[in-house]
Amino acid sequence: MRLRGVLGPVRAWTAVAVVVVLGAVAVAHAASRLAEDDAPPSPSPSRGAAPAAAPPPLPALDEHVAHGPRTLARRLRETAVRLDEDAARWRRDDGLRGTSPPTAVTRLATYESRMIAALAARPGLGRAVLRRLPARLAHRVAPEVRALRELRRLHALSQRRPGPPPKVRLGPPAPAAALLRHYRAAQRRFGVGWHVLAAVNYVESRFGRYRNESISGARGPMQFMPATWRAYGLGGDVRRPRDAILGAANLLRANGAPRDYRRALYHYNPSSLYVRTVRMYANRMARDPRAYPILYAREVVR
């Protein structure tokens, strides 16, 4: 009985102590919540702006072209995204002004063209890479791969003619904006689409970068034979871009353009391979405003 009487006060004091401790914990927790409410809010990790990642370095003009389908497809995708953005910015913000394209456009366009050339040179690689590309990019790349293969066949046929191959001489093209003015002026005068004239200029001389005469004697940025130039050159200088573009528009109009570009281009160069190639590039430039600056920016890498 006396033990039970002693334990009763002990249990009572223990209960009181527990209540006091719990109360102190509750007060401390409440004070902590009040302090948190009064403090300035800290930024949430999910809302904080992450530092922008630096873009990968630009490819060199002679950048190595991968031969593995997976790597090559990935690099084509990455290059196309950056190139489209930079080419659109050059056209939109700068109006294609300047004596040369921005460095980024030149490097990316040249690298893309060299990768596409690798697909054309190796059909098995080309098929494997095209299967791995997004549909939109594959739709853009595949026609050029076919066109380059046809140009190779056309070049092989031209090399069968007697005489040594011409010595390749290179030079800078006229500014992109100036060439575009010449194409549009010729379009207004003769009705021949600027995109067709630009495609001929690209296929014949890469917009005037190639300065040598052909085996057959064609010369100038639009590659006129002397007799053809006398007939359609309007008295100009075959090596001046403006005069050569006007002469080309005159020749095409006299032979069916713009009503029948296929017939007109065949008169320009009697090869169905040539006609298909020029029309492919012309259609691309007509559909996509970025195509002309991208094609123009491609450097010739020996």
Side-chain angles (χ1 to χ4, degrees), residues 90 97-106 176 209 293 296-299:
W90 179 37
R97 290 189 294 272
T99 56
S100 59
T103 300
V105 180
T106 296
R209 286 179 172 85
Y296 176 87
R298 293 176 170 180
E299 287 290 346

